[in-house]
């Protein structure tokens, strides 16, 4: 007991040293809280305006469209509840089923062509030459150009007379003028070419980012081992581009169902409905025939199919990657 008292009196700062530590912790905590609160306030200060705009222009119209899809929309007379009748009318519309088939053909063909074209451009324009940036910029111009402008330019190129730009070139080989956009047998393919021409440079940028991560020593080792171009492409390039390929396919699945502007400017869905797609048919129902409820049902179906297709594509590619 005497030893304990002696140690306490001999070292009076032992307990005193602990008290300032607690005080410092208590003094530091409010500062940390204030810093975390201020940081959170700054973050939400930037997010709230964007969320408000997103809610006003995205979520409110989406929920309004869901409501209208179950009503017979009658302006100034009041909407009438019809339940699933609008969805039945959409699925029972022969022209709408034809538009879905055209959308699938245009989406699959355009996505495949843009994928192959983007990969080819990426392989051709890969490198560190100081002049490649100019070529890449020129190749990327179709992406940053408005879709309506691109479609209008191609409509001029497709001019059906013999003195049209494309027909004049074909005439040099003795080919008769082709009515690209006026002939039902060639109209859909002509629209697909425009989509590929505009989509390939976008995929090129994604593939270039993937190719930049490939170790150049792998190419040298493959060349020393006698591997040819196709072997290097198969065993080095393609495995390295799998993440980029996932992104390209998911984006292609979304874009393929939402194609509208280029089809509408080029053909308006014609001739005789040969190029009518999901979005053009929805537009015609809502703004030309004033069947807003049916058009809303078609839009909601498009939203559901887009979400399901996107998730299915991402899941399939993830499963293949894990395998």
């Amino acid at each position: 007991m005497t030893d304990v008292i002696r140690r306490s009196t001999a070292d009076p700062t032992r307990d005193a040293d602990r008290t300032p530590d607690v005080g410092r912790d208590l003094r530091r905590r409010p500062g940390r809280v204030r810093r975390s609160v201020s940081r959170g306030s700054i973050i939400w200060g930037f997010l709230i305006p964007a969320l408000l705009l997103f809610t006003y222009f995205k979520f409110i119209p989406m929920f309004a469209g869901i409501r209208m899809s179950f009503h017979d929309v009658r302006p100034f007379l009041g909407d009438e509840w019809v339940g699933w009748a609008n969805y039945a009318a959409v699925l029972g519309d022969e022209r709408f089923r034809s538009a879905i088939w055209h959308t699938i053909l245009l989406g699959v063909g355009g996505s495949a062509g843009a994928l192959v074209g983007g990969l080819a451009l990426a392989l051709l324009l890969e490198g560190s030459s100081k002049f490649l940036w100019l070529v890449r910029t020129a190749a990327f111009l179709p992406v940053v150009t408005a879709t309506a402008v691109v479609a209008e330019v191609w409509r001029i190129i497709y001019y059906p007379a013999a003195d049209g730009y494309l027909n004049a070139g074909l005439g040099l080989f003795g080919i008769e003028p082709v009515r690209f956009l006026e002939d039902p047998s060639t109209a859909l393919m002509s629209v697909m070419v425009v989509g590929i021409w505009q989509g390939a440079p976008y995929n090129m940028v994604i593939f270039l980012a993937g190719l930049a991560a490939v170790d150049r020593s792998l190419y040298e080792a493959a060349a020393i081992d006698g591997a040819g171009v196709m072997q290097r492409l198969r065993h080095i390039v393609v495995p390295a581009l799998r993440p980029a390929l996932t992104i390209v396919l998911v984006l292609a699945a979304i874009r393929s169902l939402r194609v509208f502007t280029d089809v509408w400017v080029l053909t308006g869905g014609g001739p005789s409905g040969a190029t009518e797609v999901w979005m053009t048919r929805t537009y015609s129902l809502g703004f030309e025939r004033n069947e807003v409820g049916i058009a809303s049902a078609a839009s909601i179906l498009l939203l559901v199919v887009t979400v399901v297709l996107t998730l299915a594509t991402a899941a399939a590619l993830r499963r293949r990657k894990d395998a």
Side-chain angles (χ1 to χ4, degrees), residues 127-142:
S128 57
S129 174
K130 62 180 180 180
F131 297 107
L132 279 180
W133 70 270
L134 181 61
V135 182
R136 290 173 183 170
T137 303
F140 193 71
L141 283 178

Side-chain angles (χ1 to χ4, degrees), residues 38-100:
S38 62
R39 189 181 298 112
S41 301
I42 293 173
I43 294 173
W44 282 105
F46 281 104
L47 287 178
I48 287 176
L51 291 175
L52 291 176
L53 291 173
F54 196 80
T55 300
Y56 186 79
F57 290 104
K58 289 288 185 179
F59 287 116
I60 293 177
M62 183 177 69
F63 287 113
I66 294 174
R67 185 193 65 81
M68 289 190 294
S69 68
F70 293 99
H71 290 79
D72 179 15
V73 180
R74 301 179 301 176
F76 310 111
L77 297 177
D79 299 343
E80 181 181 356
W81 173 266
V82 295
W84 296 96
N86 288 332
Y87 291 91
V90 169
L91 298 177
D93 184 8
E94 183 178 354
R95 289 187 60 181
F96 188 80
R97 292 197 298 269
S98 178
I100 293 177

Side-chain angles (χ1 to χ4, degrees), residues 1-15:
M1 184 69 181
T2 306
D3 294 334
V4 172
I5 295 174
R6 188 180 297 110
R7 285 195 299 269
S8 300
T9 56
D11 192 8
T13 62
R14 177 176 297 179
D15 294 333

Side-chain angles (χ1 to χ4, degrees), residues 68-319:
M68 289 190 294
S69 68
F70 293 99
H71 290 79
D72 179 15
V73 180
R74 301 179 301 176
F76 310 111
L77 297 177
D79 299 343
E80 181 181 356
W81 173 266
V82 295
W84 296 96
N86 288 332
Y87 291 91
V90 169
L91 298 177
D93 184 8
E94 183 178 354
R95 289 187 60 181
F96 188 80
R97 292 197 298 269
S98 178
I100 293 177
W101 175 243
H102 295 156
T103 304
I104 294 173
L105 291 177
L106 201 60
V108 173
S111 300
L115 190 149
V116 174
L119 180 59
L121 286 173
L123 293 174
L124 289 173
L125 299 180
E126 183 195 14
S128 57
S129 174
K130 62 180 180 180
F131 297 107
L132 279 180
W133 70 270
L134 181 61
V135 182
R136 290 173 183 170
T137 303
F140 193 71
L141 283 178
V143 179
V144 298
T145 307
T147 305
V149 175
V150 170
E152 184 63 28
V153 170
W154 274 92
R155 194 174 66 84
I156 297 173
I157 294 174
Y158 282 142
Y159 189 68
D163 57 348
Y165 287 100
L166 188 53
N167 278 325
L170 295 176
L172 298 176
F173 301 94
I175 301 175
E176 295 293 327
V178 180
R179 302 179 65 85
F180 294 98
L181 301 177
E182 287 76 15
D183 189 347
S185 62
T186 60
L188 190 64
M189 183 64 67
S190 301
V191 174
M192 188 184 300
V193 169
V194 178
I196 293 173
W197 183 80
Q198 192 175 24
Y202 184 85
N203 296 338
M204 174 197 71
V205 174
I206 300 176
F207 285 136
L208 281 174
L211 290 173
V214 179
D215 189 358
R216 292 297 182 272
S217 63
L218 295 177
Y219 294 129
E220 298 175 1
I224 293 173
D225 291 339
V229 175
M230 296 304 299
Q231 290 177 320
R232 279 178 282 178
L233 184 65
R234 177 183 176 184
H235 297 288
I236 298 177
V237 175
V238 173
L241 289 180
R242 282 179 181 173
L245 185 62
T246 302
I247 298 173
V248 167
L249 290 178
V250 171
L251 294 177
I254 297 174
R255 290 198 305 264
S256 62
L257 294 176
R258 300 173 60 184
V259 58
F260 172 75
T261 305
D262 45 357
V263 176
W264 191 257
V265 174
L266 286 168
T267 64
S272 302
T275 60
E276 193 166 48
V277 294
W278 197 317
M279 289 291 292
T280 59
R281 182 59 181 162
T282 302
Y283 181 88
S284 299
L285 289 171
F287 294 97
E288 293 181 350
R289 296 177 53 178
N290 201 29
E291 296 179 356
V292 180
I294 298 177
S296 299
S299 299
I300 299 303
L301 286 175
L302 176 62
L303 172 64
V304 172
V305 173
T306 302
V307 172
V308 171
L309 181 60
T310 303
L311 295 177
T313 303
L317 292 172
R318 191 179 302 113
R319 190 180 304 113

